Amino acid sequence: MKRAFIFPGQGSQSVGMGKALAETFPQAKAVFDEVDEALSQKLSAIMWEGPADELTLTANTQPALMAVSLAMVRVLEAEAGLDLGRDAAFVAGHSLGEYSALAAAGSLTIADTARLLRIRGNAMQEAVPVGQGAMAALLGLEYDAALEVARAAAQGEVCDAANDNGGAQVVVSGHKSAVERAVAIAQEKGAKRAVMLAVSAPFHCALMQPAADAMREALARVTVHAPVVPVVANVEAAPIGDPDAIRDALVRQVTGTVRWRESVAYMASQGVEAFYEVGSGKVLTGLVKRIAAGASATALGAPDDVTAFKASLQG
């Protein structure tokens, strides 16, 4: 059976995430310690004890979610015998989750990934003054229809398709007034729901260009290895493996659309039957079930999940 391992993005965080893993498995504790050291911050304390508003700061959320995902990967390697190079056909991640996927596949060290995500989080937050940008979810419109809504709403401002999540769920991002127009137009076009999202910045749109520039500089300073398993990139919805191509994709990802629907569909078209969401939450598990009919999707985030996964790997 072909498997893919997928890694969650922003929105999957919750206070307490990863704590049980750290208390149960020394391999997980070591990852959280490594991230704390790389950032010169006790990020693990914020993850496990809160406060929630501090965890949801973009600069904290991004490395924190990566830490949980990589802690789980290390536990699966130690306890279940997981070898991504052998056991995975592909890895992929949603937005910041792409960094987790690359770290899991050996392209980036955990310490470098934590530092990159800290830079990314700060740069994305600072790219647009608070209050000027917004994001909205358009539910019940397919991607092409949502794209038309975004174009109609722009009216000289920025309104881009940020996330094509599948299951007729598209997120638009840009200037606040343009995104508000998109919500109204989407409702006129028959969207089931169109709602503004409680986000701190307009991610994955042209307004993020300053953050893309910051990531180009940051990525030039780190070593990127070829991954041990093909990484399906958000902006390509196809696998990449060359280190320069990886850097380029990560830079373009900041302003580009997260092509999640196409990424999952691609992996399914290549014979992937089982998707495993590694880390906090079950958001991607739900999306996969709507995109890849007939494929299984399982979330791996808690100590109890390790035993079940080990049985499935051996079976």
Side-chain angles (χ1 to χ4, degrees):
M1 185 192 342
K2 282 192 175 182
R3 305 174 185 88
F5 293 79
I6 54 178
F7 297 85
Q10 211 150 324
S12 291
Q13 70 274 4
S14 62
V15 173
M17 65 180 187
K19 187 176 183 182
L21 284 177
E23 291 173 344
T24 309
F25 301 107
Q27 299 87 355
K29 179 69 164 53
V31 170
F32 295 119
D33 289 345
E34 186 175 355
V35 170
D36 286 351
E37 183 177 349
L39 298 178
S40 300
Q41 175 199 17
K42 197 73 173 167
L43 182 62
S44 57
I46 298 169
M47 293 165 58
W48 301 336
E49 299 158 21
D53 57 353
E54 196 166 347
L55 176 60
T56 54
L57 290 173
T58 303
N60 287 334
T61 302
Q62 296 198 15
L65 283 167
M66 181 278 298
V68 179
S69 290
L70 267 293
M72 191 62 174
V73 169
R74 294 289 180 262
V75 170
L76 293 173
E77 289 169 345
E79 297 292 324
L82 173 67
D83 179 335
L84 282 177
R86 180 194 66 208
D87 299 323
F90 303 99
V91 295
H94 193 286
S95 190
L96 82 89
E98 189 165 314
Y99 285 79
S100 306
L102 287 162
S107 283
L108 294 166
T109 67
I110 289 175
D112 279 345
T113 308
R115 287 187 286 262
L116 286 168
L117 287 172
R118 170 57 52 80
I119 293 167
R120 185 178 184 266
N122 280 325
M124 292 173 90
Q125 190 62 63
E126 293 165 4
V128 181
V130 173
Q132 290 190 16
M135 300 179 77
L138 313 182
L139 309 177
L141 291 180
E142 295 298 336
Y143 180 66
D144 288 344
L147 212 52
E148 287 181 21
V149 167
R151 287 171 182 153
Q155 298 179 23
E157 295 185 311
V158 170
C159 188
D160 295 337
N163 302 339
D164 177 14
N165 286 331
Q169 182 190 122
V170 180
V171 176
V172 295
S173 180
H175 286 107
K176 186 169 186 281
S177 50
V179 173
E180 288 171 341
R181 287 192 293 271
V183 167
I185 294 169
Q187 290 168 335
E188 293 168 8
K189 295 283 186 183
K192 290 178 183 174
R193 286 181 68 209
V195 293
M196 302 293 286
L197 298 177
V199 294
S200 55
F203 305 127
H204 298 292
C205 75
L207 296 178
M208 287 285 116
Q209 188 58 48
D213 295 339
M215 292 315 297
R216 182 177 290 106
E217 289 181 22
L219 284 157
R221 296 194 298 265
V222 302
T223 300
V224 179
H225 300 283
V228 299
V229 57
V231 179
V232 178
N234 286 181
V235 293
E236 299 289 350
I240 56 174
D242 175 74
D244 287 338
I246 289 169
R247 285 190 182 91
D248 179 62
L250 291 174
V251 171
R252 289 188 289 130
Q253 187 220 59
V254 178
T255 57
T257 304
V258 176
R259 296 168 60 185
W260 190 249
R261 172 181 59 85
E262 295 172 274
S263 296
V264 172
Y266 170 80
M267 291 184 276
S269 77
Q270 299 302 302
V272 171
E273 298 174 61
F275 290 83
Y276 293 94
E277 179 176 6
V278 185
S280 178
K282 300 179 179 180
V283 172
L284 300 185
T285 299
L287 294 179
V288 165
K289 289 175 179 177
R290 292 204 286 269
I291 298 166
S296 66
T298 307
L300 303 173
D304 289 349
D305 298 331
V306 177
T307 305
F309 174 76
K310 184 176 182 179
S312 74
L313 203 59
Q314 293 170 342

